[in-house]
Amino acid sequence: MEIRRKAVEMSRQVMGWVTGTGRKKALILGSAALLVLALVGGGVAFVVTSGDDLTYQTQSALRKAMPATAAAELQKRGVTLASPLKCEDLPGWTKTKMRVSCSGTTSDKKPVEVLGSGEQETSKSYYTILVDGQPVVENAPCLGADCNKQEG
């Protein structure tokens, strides 16, 4: 009789796990685990996709923006241009590796060269400005007002 009573008691415990209290615990734990997985997955997706994007996603956008951003950068450094910079695509640019060159002169007739690049794979941009052959900006990640956007 003792063995039968123990078997019935164990049977009730097992049934309690499957139904009733045990079932509620399993649902709560399962829901909590699912919530944790969703939050971790969302966090990983955010980190992977929230990398710094290029300010200018296309060659055309980079080429169009460079005269104004370079002029603003030069003005901030006390250099005045005689006229707007003229920009063109550099040979060898691709959709993922953009390259632009701009040229012009200062108000005191010194030559100005601006080189800009952007790479989709690394999401990095680099800008160099030469005035009369001397570097004013070297491998900067931004120019002019674009620097304010990246800091803020």
Side-chain angles (χ1 to χ4, degrees), residues 1-14:
M1 228 15 165
E2 184 66 28
I3 294 176
R4 183 170 183 223
R5 190 168 50 97
K6 290 242 181 208
V8 169
E9 191 176 304
M10 286 178 74
S11 164
R12 286 185 182 150
Q13 281 181 341
V14 169

Side-chain angles (χ1 to χ4, degrees), residues 61-149:
L62 179 62
R63 184 181 58 254
K64 288 176 185 173
M66 290 253 304
T69 57
E73 187 68 32
L74 286 166
Q75 185 176 16
K76 184 168 72 172
R77 294 168 184 270
V79 177
T80 307
L81 292 171
S83 61
L85 295 168
K86 291 179 178 44
C87 297
E88 62 185 14
D89 298 337
L90 284 173
W93 72 271
T94 66
K95 287 183 179 183
T96 59
K97 294 184 179 188
M98 299 168 284
R99 308 285 184 260
V100 173
S101 172
C102 302
S103 59
T105 56
T106 64
S107 56
D108 56 350
K109 304 205 187 304
K110 293 179 182 173
V112 176
E113 302 262 346
V114 183
L115 300 170
S117 68
E119 296 202 15
Q120 294 284 352
E121 190 174 307
T122 61
S123 295
K124 295 195 182 220
S125 297
Y126 297 99
Y127 301 94
T128 296
I129 301 177
L130 304 173
V131 175
D132 201 20
Q134 298 301 309
V136 175
V137 173
E138 287 185 271
N139 294 324
C142 57
L143 291 177
D146 289 345
C147 295
N148 297 335
K149 292 176 191 172

